[in-house]
Amino acid sequence: MRGIPGLKRLRLKIWRRCALLLLLLWAACWVVVSAALFLFHRSVFSERCTDEKSHRILARLCLDYSSGALTGDLCEDLCVAQKLVYKHCLYYDRGKKVIQADWRGQPIILKSKKEVFSSYQHLSMLEEVETQDIPETELLLMVALEVKNALGLELSNSTMGPLWTRKKGPHWKAQVASMWSLLQQEEYIYFSLLQDFSKHVLRIIGSCGHFYAVEYLTAGHAWHKTLFPLENAIGPSLTGHKSRVRAITDIALSFLDMVQHFDNDFSHRLHLCDIKPENFAIRHDLTVVAIDVDMAFFEPKMRDILEQNCTGDEDCNFFDCFSKCNLKIRKCGAQRANNNLQVICDKIFRHWFSPNLRGPLVSLPLQLQLQKAVQECAQPGHMDAAGHQRTLKSLSELYHLLQVTQQELQRAE
C-alpha cells in the first residue's frame, strides 16, 4: 500500500513530461508551418523595396513607351533624354510603388498603384476604333463615371480639366490608355482635382503611363522627436529649442487650417481615415501637406464605407474613421462619429503638447491650457448637434491658444 502514492507521483511526473513534450512539439510545428507559409506567401505580407527591382519596373515602363502602348509628358525625359533619373526606392506597399527620382535637378516622387501598365483595366473601346472618332463627350462621360465610382463625386465637364486634356495626334490611343490607367488610382484623382483649390495636397508635376510624379517632401515619422524633420523645413542652423517650439506652433496652426479647409471648402467634407505623421509632410513655409491620401474619402464615399452590417460598435471602425452600431437593425450608422480634428489632436497634438514637453519659452499657465484643450479635443464624441458644437469650440480654442503662444514667443525674442 505504501508504494501506491509513489506510483501516483511517478505517473504524474510522466504525464507532465509528456504534456510538456507535446506542447513543445506543437509549438515547434506551429513555428515551422508559419515560417513556411510566410516564405511561400511573402509577397502577400510585404514586398522588399530594392533598387534592382525599381530599375526593372522603370525599364518596363520605357519599353511600353517605345512600343507606343503608353505616353505622358515625362516619358521623353525618363526614357530618351535621361533628364529624369532614378535615385532610389522609397517603399512598396500592397502593390503600390513609390520611387524617388531627380528631374532636371529637382527631386521628385514617382508613384503608381500597380507595377505594370497592363495590370490596369483596359479601355475596350480603343480596340474598336482605328481613327480618332471617339466623341469627346463620350470620353468625358466615362471620366465622370470613373470619378464617381472612385470618389463618389459627380463632376461637371467644366471641372474635369485637370483630369482630361486630350490632344489629337498619332499617339492618341496611348494617351487615352495612359489617362485611363491614372484614373484608376484614387490618389492621383484627388491630387489632380485639388491642385488649384488646396495648398494642403501634393503638387502633381507630370506623368508617364501609369506612373505620376509629385513634388518631393520628406514625410514625418512617429519615432522622430518632433514628428517631422524640422531641419528640412527651417534649416539646420535654426533647429535650436526656441526655433523648434516656434516651428511646432506654426505647424499646429497649419494642421488646424487644413482641418477647417477639408471640412468646409469643398462641395463635400473630406475625411482622413489614416492620420499618422508618415502620411504628412511640411513645406519650407511650414504648411502641412497630405502626401498619402489612399485612405481619404469625400462624404458620399465615406457614408458608403461606414454603412455596414454590425453586431457592435467595433464592427463600425474603419481605421481612423468610425461610426456607431444600431443594434436594432444591426447596421452601422452612415455618419462618422469622430472627425479629422479629434484624430489629429489624439495622434499628433498629444505628442507635441504633453506635460513632459514643458519649457521656459512659454508660460506655464498657457502650457497647461494647451494640454487641457488638446486632451479634450482628442476625446471621441458623437456627431450630433452638440458634438458638432464641441468640435467648433475645440477648433476655436486651439486657434486662440496657439496664436497666444506665437505672441509669447515673439516677445521672448
Side-chain angles (χ1 to χ4, degrees), residues 50-212:
T50 66
D51 290 334
E52 181 183 359
K53 182 164 186 178
S54 297
H55 276 297
R56 287 202 307 268
I57 291 170
L58 295 183
R60 174 69 180 272
L61 180 68
C62 288
L63 188 65
D64 287 339
Y65 171 63
S66 63
S67 71
L70 57 83
T71 189
D73 50 3
L74 294 180
C75 289
E76 192 72 13
D77 281 353
L78 173 66
C79 304
V80 180
Q82 301 296 308
K83 293 179 181 178
L84 199 164
V85 182
Y86 172 86
K87 284 300 181 183
H88 62 87
C89 179
L90 291 179
Y91 66 88
Y92 300 157
D93 180 29
R94 292 168 291 181
K96 184 178 182 180
K97 304 294 183 287
V98 182
I99 295 168
Q100 184 177 342
D102 187 271
W103 179 57
R104 299 173 183 257
Q106 172 188 355
I108 62 170
I109 302 295
L110 292 172
K111 288 187 170 190
S112 177
K113 192 174 182 179
K114 296 179 182 179
E115 178 178 325
V116 184
F117 184 67
S118 59
S119 299
Y120 288 92
Q121 181 184 5
H122 188 61
L123 198 58
S124 57
M125 69 163 58
L126 290 178
E127 302 300 326
E128 300 170 1
V129 294
E130 291 299 328
T131 59
Q132 302 177 49
D133 60 357
I134 302 177
E136 190 85 5
T137 53
E138 188 173 343
L139 284 168
L140 286 172
L141 177 61
M142 294 185 67
V143 172
L145 290 173
E146 191 66 22
V147 171
K148 184 177 181 180
N149 179 59
L151 307 187
L153 296 179
E154 294 189 10
L155 300 181
S156 63
N157 289 353
S158 61
T159 60
M160 283 188 285
L163 296 172
W164 179 243
T165 53
R166 184 163 74 104
K167 299 174 184 177
K168 293 184 177 182
H171 307 295
W172 71 275
K173 280 192 176 184
Q175 186 184 11
V176 173
S178 299
M179 174 211 68
W180 197 244
S181 71
L182 292 171
L183 287 175
Q184 293 172 57
Q185 303 180 60
E186 293 89 346
E187 188 174 67
Y188 172 80
I189 301 176
Y190 275 118
F191 290 153
S192 296
L193 290 177
L194 301 181
Q195 288 292 287
D196 299 328
F197 303 101
S198 179
K199 63 181 180 179
H200 294 289
V201 297
L202 282 174
R203 180 171 57 87
I204 288 185
I205 293 168
S207 64
C208 178
H210 55 302
F211 272 88
Y212 58 97

Side-chain angles (χ1 to χ4, degrees), residues 186-408:
E186 293 89 346
E187 188 174 67
Y188 172 80
I189 301 176
Y190 275 118
F191 290 153
S192 296
L193 290 177
L194 301 181
Q195 288 292 287
D196 299 328
F197 303 101
S198 179
K199 63 181 180 179
H200 294 289
V201 297
L202 282 174
R203 180 171 57 87
I204 288 185
I205 293 168
S207 64
C208 178
H210 55 302
F211 272 88
Y212 58 97
V214 295
E215 62 179 312
Y216 173 81
L217 293 173
T218 305
H221 288 287
W223 48 261
H224 201 286
K225 186 177 180 180
T226 55
L227 297 183
F228 299 96
L230 299 181
E231 61 274 7
N232 293 336
I234 62 177
S237 61
L238 298 174
T239 51
H241 181 63
K242 184 184 293 186
S243 296
R244 283 200 305 271
V245 173
R246 188 186 300 110
I248 287 172
T249 303
D250 291 347
I251 294 168
L253 281 166
S254 185
F255 263 111
L256 296 183
D257 288 341
M258 184 188 72
V259 166
Q260 190 158 288
H261 174 55
F262 286 172
D263 279 357
N264 303 306
D265 292 350
F266 306 130
S267 57
H268 297 283
R269 178 173 295 177
L270 182 59
H271 297 273
L272 304 177
C273 293
D274 190 12
I275 292 176
K276 57 186 178 183
E278 290 79 1
N279 287 343
F280 298 94
I282 309 299
R283 289 201 180 102
H284 289 292
D285 63 357
L286 302 182
T287 298
V288 173
V289 180
I291 62 173
D292 189 328
V293 293
D294 284 333
M295 299 294 287
F297 307 96
F298 283 108
E299 183 72 26
K301 191 77 171 182
M302 186 81 267
R303 296 177 73 87
D304 288 342
I305 291 171
L306 291 176
E307 202 171 19
Q308 305 294 327
N309 295 330
C310 62
T311 56
D313 287 344
E314 64 277 0
D315 296 328
C316 303
N317 295 347
F318 184 77
F319 296 88
D320 288 328
C321 298
F322 60 83
S323 65
K324 298 292 182 180
C325 180
N326 186 331
L327 294 175
K328 292 181 179 178
I329 60 174
R330 295 186 178 275
K331 202 150 186 90
C332 298
Q335 187 174 18
R336 184 180 173 188
N338 63 343
N339 55 61
N340 293 338
L341 178 63
Q342 183 264 317
V343 183
I344 286 171
C345 283
D346 185 33
K347 292 193 168 185
I348 306 290
F349 286 6
R350 274 188 195 272
H351 180 89
W352 285 337
F353 305 111
S354 59
N356 61 337
L357 291 180
R358 293 176 184 170
L361 297 175
V362 180
S363 65
L364 181 59
L366 179 55
Q367 290 183 51
L368 293 175
Q369 282 181 286
L370 257 175
Q371 290 160 19
K372 181 182 177 183
V374 168
Q375 288 167 3
E376 290 177 352
C377 167
Q379 296 301 316
H382 297 278
M383 285 307 292
D384 51 14
H388 181 63
Q389 287 302 314
R390 199 188 87 174
T391 298
L392 292 177
K393 180 184 176 184
S394 288
L395 186 64
S396 175
E397 185 177 11
L398 286 168
Y399 260 125
H400 170 70
L401 292 173
L402 289 168
Q403 287 165 351
V404 173
T405 302
Q406 282 182 326
Q407 294 166 8
E408 286 200 5

